[in-house]
Amino acid sequence: MAELGDDETPEVERIAGEADRRREAWGATLDDMAAMADDFEDEGWTTVRIAAGDSGPFGPSSGKGDEGAFGLAYVIPGDKADTVAELFEATSFPEYEVYRAENDGRVYIVTALFSPETETAVFIAGAWDLREALECATVAVEEGRMYSYLQKLDGTVVGVVEHDDPEKFFPNLDAIRRDAPNGDDDATDAGSNDGN
């Protein structure tokens, strides 16, 4: 069995520490989602709680969805996808809230969708790396709107919601630009389509 040299130990410890912090942050996100859903259930609302199998921002250049599409994609587990599809056929979700925290360059988010008409709330927890958000965040802020896509693993969209305040998702666009892999040079123009 290979032995680790002294100079490799700090890297192993750093990776293990990061994994522990991510696990704790994800657990706290799920706990927060459960507490919020419990509060709504106590008020008589029907709730659906979804821990996304995968989630992340995407921009128009990603090729996802319709041409020019952007937003956050949440992969909904199979056991919840049919329920979500039925809810989106039966009602709309005109109200929403976004609860987010950052830890080690990663965003932990709960998007809460509300249908006051039917007293139904859908809570979706997700996590993604902040450095992946530049194109989506730039386009969303420029357009003054944001979208959440709820989809199956195979990419089939079961629900889409338009949000009128992208800053709830991206409260600090300058920090995203600064931390993006390409810095803030060409990447900041990724969502610009003003014809210039």
Side-chain angles (χ1 to χ4, degrees):
M1 183 163 134
E3 293 184 24
L4 293 177
D6 289 336
D7 39 334
E8 293 175 9
T9 303
E11 181 67 9
V12 170
E13 290 172 358
R14 183 194 64 77
I15 292 170
E18 183 176 299
D20 288 343
R21 287 188 303 276
R22 286 185 174 195
R23 190 172 22 261
E24 288 171 13
W26 180 241
T29 302
L30 295 178
D31 290 346
D32 290 347
M33 178 179 68
M36 288 182 267
D38 288 346
D39 289 344
F40 274 81
E41 288 174 3
D42 290 346
E43 296 295 320
W45 284 54
T46 300
T47 67
V48 178
R49 306 166 192 214
I50 301 167
D54 192 16
S55 55
F58 68 94
S61 70
S62 70
K64 293 182 181 179
D66 296 333
E67 184 177 338
F70 63 94
L72 282 176
Y74 297 94
V75 176
I76 307 302
D79 62 331
K80 302 281 185 173
D82 292 337
T83 300
V84 169
E86 289 171 10
L87 285 173
F88 273 82
E89 286 176 14
T91 190
S92 63
F93 293 88
E95 297 178 19
Y96 70 99
E97 284 297 330
V98 177
Y99 307 91
R100 66 186 300 283
E102 292 181 29
N103 185 329
D104 288 339
R106 194 154 173 84
V107 174
Y108 297 87
I109 190 167
V110 174
T111 305
L113 308 175
F114 305 115
S115 173
E117 179 184 330
T118 62
E119 293 191 337
T120 302
V122 177
F123 296 89
I124 311 134
W128 40 274
D129 289 332
L130 190 58
R131 62 185 169 82
E132 297 172 356
L134 181 60
E135 184 182 16
C136 178
T138 301
V139 174
V141 169
E142 287 175 358
E143 297 289 328
R145 66 182 184 273
M146 178 64 181
Y147 296 91
S148 289
Y149 292 83
L150 288 69
Q151 63 188 46
K152 295 180 180 182
L153 183 59
D154 67 4
T156 303
V157 175
V158 296
V160 179
V161 178
E162 181 177 330
H163 309 288
D164 62 359
D165 188 358
E167 290 187 19
K168 287 186 176 185
F169 295 89
F170 308 111
N172 191 346
L173 183 56
D174 290 337
I176 296 170
R177 286 181 174 145
R178 182 186 63 243
D179 295 339
N182 295 333
D184 64 353
D185 300 331
D186 298 331
T188 56
D189 296 327
S192 178
N193 57 4
D194 60 6
N196 293 329

